[in-house]
Amino acid sequence: MDNCIFCMIANGQIPSTSVYEDEDFKVVFDIAPAAKGHLLILPKSHADNVCDLPEETAAKIMPLAAKLGSAQMKALGAKGFNIVVNTGEAAGQTVMHCHTHVIPRYEGEAPIVANWAQGSYADGEAASVAQAIVKAL
Ligand code: 5GP
Ligand code: ZN
């Protein structure tokens, strides 16, 4: 897609620090890393977000993310990693070309993702919310 920064990076029109590439993806360093070695998995074909990705492409992302996270632990001494896919502006997506963050986590750091305030449901609310989701699937 014209004027899409991640299309240009994924297809080599803009240079980047890359650690992996195949026919579907290029994996590059995030320009403003949350931690040392923060990676972005960029599909080479444009999709605005994960909902628009072909299923066969989407299915390849999780195994690749796991492989990259394992390499971060082995090479960088990370003790874990977060796999993050922000989808939509409300969820914090700022670049509208689907991408998957693989963020290494080091000892002594506070969790950066799974530290949301823990909510609850009113009586019967969980069942009706579940029903709405089931209906929409
Ligand atoms: P989002 O919030 O959309 O999930 O994440 C977008 C990410 O892309 C951010 O972490 C941001 O630092 C990164 N980013 C934005 N522009 C560029 C760029 O030109 N090159 C690279 N490598 N990363 C970028
Ligand atoms: Zn794009």
Side-chain angles (χ1 to χ4, degrees), residues 24-125:
D24 298 306
F25 305 105
K26 187 162 185 143
V27 178
V28 302
F29 270 30
D30 193 294
I31 203 170
K36 187 179 62 180
H38 179 165
L39 299 172
L40 299 174
I41 302 174
L42 307 180
K44 289 186 174 177
S45 290
H46 182 87
D48 279 0
N49 60 51
V50 68
C51 303
D52 293 341
L53 265 190
E55 276 192 23
E56 60 272 22
T57 309
K60 294 175 182 169
I61 292 178
M62 193 58 84
L64 177 56
K67 193 171 166 182
L68 293 165
S70 298
Q72 288 168 333
M73 292 201 288
K74 193 170 164 191
L76 307 176
K79 299 298 181 203
F81 54 93
N82 294 109
I83 299 170
V84 179
V85 184
N86 296 325
T87 305
E89 272 180 45
Q93 185 179 1
T94 58
V95 180
M96 297 302 154
H97 174 123
C98 182
H99 53 280
T100 303
H101 298 260
V102 185
I103 306 171
R105 303 305 297 157
Y106 299 96
E107 213 155 66
E109 293 175 330
I112 54 169
V113 175
N115 62 348
W116 52 77
Q118 292 184 314
S120 61
Y121 292 106
D123 271 359
E125 193 185 3

Side-chain angles (χ1 to χ4, degrees), residues 1 4-8 43 45-47 96-98:
M1 199 175 90
C4 172
I5 185 90
F6 281 1
C7 275
M8 291 189 252
S45 290
H46 182 87
M96 297 302 154
H97 174 123
C98 182

